[in-house]
Amino acid sequence: MRLAAFLLRRLLGLIGVLLGMSVLIFGIIHILPGNVAYSILGEFATPAAVAQLEAKLGLNDPLPVQYWCWLSAMLHGDFGTSIVMNRPAASLIGEALGRSALLAGLAFGLIAAGGISLGLYAATHRGRASDKVLTLAQFVLIAVPEFFWAILAVLVFASWLNLLPATGYAPFDAGVADWAAHLVLPVLVLSFGLVAHVSRLTRSSMLEVLDSRFVLAARARGLPERRVLWRHALPNALLPAITVLAIDAGLLIGLAIDAGLLIGGIVVVETVFAYPGLGRLLVYAIERHDLPLLQVGMMVVTAIYALANFVAELLYAALNPRIRVAGAAA
């Protein structure tokens, strides 16, 4: 019963977040400068033609009516049509999301494996030279923005060494080598700061756990150090890292609405490398005032972010039953 109450509470919260964000996204987009009718007809369109098109698109209706029409259409599977490209917004978002998901999946694997491994290594070598070097590298990678690493990677590996392509995307059927070559630089640049963030968090959490009483008690019982680390310390130390990784998984795919350490993220990387993913598509929609495409794209980003938080809570509760019990009782 407690598990069911916990899941129900989190699902209701997820639905509430999505509804609230849909209102916020709709409101923000409709106060952006520009006019949809002029975007379609051109800046030299006559006022009569503009007025006729605005009436046809329902832009003269009250905002609550426009919002309800947009939301109900999405709930029925109608995501609108891109104004600029005259294609269904769902197909455009789907294609871009697939490419961003590929980029994010590869980067996420590198972030999870590299961040946790480096964090555990630094924690178990506390105070040594390797720990100090890793700590310094973490601060540098976190402090320097993604666009700097992206430009530096293009200059070094694409321009000077001519080892990898600087921009673009190659489909898998164009050849595995070409497909992989176009992914190397975006994946690496996207992973730099997040690997440092996860490793730093893992190190801090692991050090706290290693100094806890139950770990000291396990060592006092004469258990092997390897078993103490893997069976007792690691599961508890990974709780904060799992939360961050689950959120990062969503943020990697589309980080157009978040702020803080991860700001920029995939939007910057896709723009610098001209990678045709969701982040670049949203920038394109903003520049051309393509409201249907922009609204759907931002809702997809919101859904990914909310689902990532939901998964993080489930994983956290699975590893720490006290969270599940407290959430159900609240």
Side-chain angles (χ1 to χ4, degrees):
M1 292 298 294
R2 287 179 174 178
L3 178 60
F6 174 81
L7 290 175
L8 179 61
R9 187 182 183 88
R10 293 301 180 266
L11 282 173
L12 291 176
L14 176 64
I15 294 173
V17 168
L18 291 177
L19 285 175
M21 286 304 300
S22 69
V23 175
L24 183 61
I25 289 171
F26 183 85
I28 290 175
I29 286 177
H30 279 74
I31 62 175
L32 291 175
N35 186 287
V36 178
Y38 277 108
S39 299
I40 298 174
L41 299 174
E43 58 181 315
F44 298 106
T46 62
V50 170
Q52 183 180 3
L53 183 58
E54 287 178 341
K56 180 180 178 181
L57 296 176
L59 299 178
N60 295 326
D61 296 334
L63 285 181
V65 175
Q66 293 186 47
Y67 168 75
W68 174 249
C69 292
W70 169 64
L71 182 62
S72 60
M74 279 204 308
L75 293 176
H76 287 85
D78 182 8
F79 297 97
T81 302
S82 168
I83 295 172
V84 178
M85 290 178 274
N86 196 29
R87 287 182 56 192
S91 65
L92 291 170
I93 294 292
E95 293 172 3
L97 181 60
R99 289 188 284 265
S100 287
L102 171 64
L103 190 64
L106 295 173
F108 181 76
L110 183 60
I111 292 164
I116 292 176
S117 299
L118 290 174
L120 294 178
Y121 179 84
T124 54
H125 293 75
R126 172 172 32 181
R128 300 182 186 178
S130 57
D131 178 30
K132 295 178 181 179
V133 171
L134 285 174
T135 301
L136 178 61
Q138 290 167 2
F139 280 112
V140 172
L141 290 174
I142 291 175
V144 178
E146 286 88 353
F147 74 84
F148 174 83
W149 297 119
I151 294 172
L152 184 62
V154 170
L155 288 175
V156 174
F157 295 101
S159 180
W160 296 346
L161 300 179
N162 198 26
L163 294 176
L164 296 167
T167 58
Y169 167 79
F172 188 79
D173 53 15
V176 177
D178 195 26
W179 170 78
H182 282 83
L183 292 171
V184 172
L185 291 183
V187 169
L188 288 178
V189 171
L190 189 59
S191 304
F192 281 163
L194 297 177
V195 166
H197 181 57
V198 172
S199 64
R200 184 183 176 191
L201 182 63
T202 303
R203 178 188 181 276
S204 176
S205 179
M206 190 67 173
L207 289 177
E208 183 179 348
V209 172
L210 289 176
D211 292 334
S212 62
R213 292 183 177 181
F214 73 89
V215 170
L216 296 177
R219 286 171 172 164
R221 292 200 306 268
L223 295 178
E225 186 66 17
R226 186 180 185 87
R227 184 177 180 183
V228 172
L229 291 175
W230 290 98
R231 293 289 300 275
H232 296 271
L234 185 60
N236 291 279
L238 285 183
L239 290 176
I242 285 175
T243 303
V244 172
L245 285 170
I247 295 173
D248 287 350
L251 295 177
L252 279 167
I253 297 176
L255 193 58
I257 60 172
D258 192 56
L261 173 65
L262 304 175
I263 195 73
I266 204 167
V267 177
V268 172
V269 171
E270 289 183 355
T271 301
V272 173
F273 290 104
Y275 186 88
L278 182 58
R280 190 158 181 254
L281 183 64
L282 289 177
V283 173
Y284 176 88
I286 293 172
E287 291 174 344
R288 281 138 180 99
H289 206 72
D290 196 336
L291 294 190
L293 183 60
L294 183 58
Q295 288 179 151
V296 174
M298 293 189 69
M299 277 305 301
V300 169
V301 172
T302 301
I304 292 170
Y305 189 37
L307 287 173
N309 277 280
F310 179 71
V311 171
E313 289 184 331
L314 295 184
L315 291 175
Y316 206 103
L319 290 175
N320 191 347
R322 290 176 298 178
I323 303 297
R324 182 169 66 244
V325 173

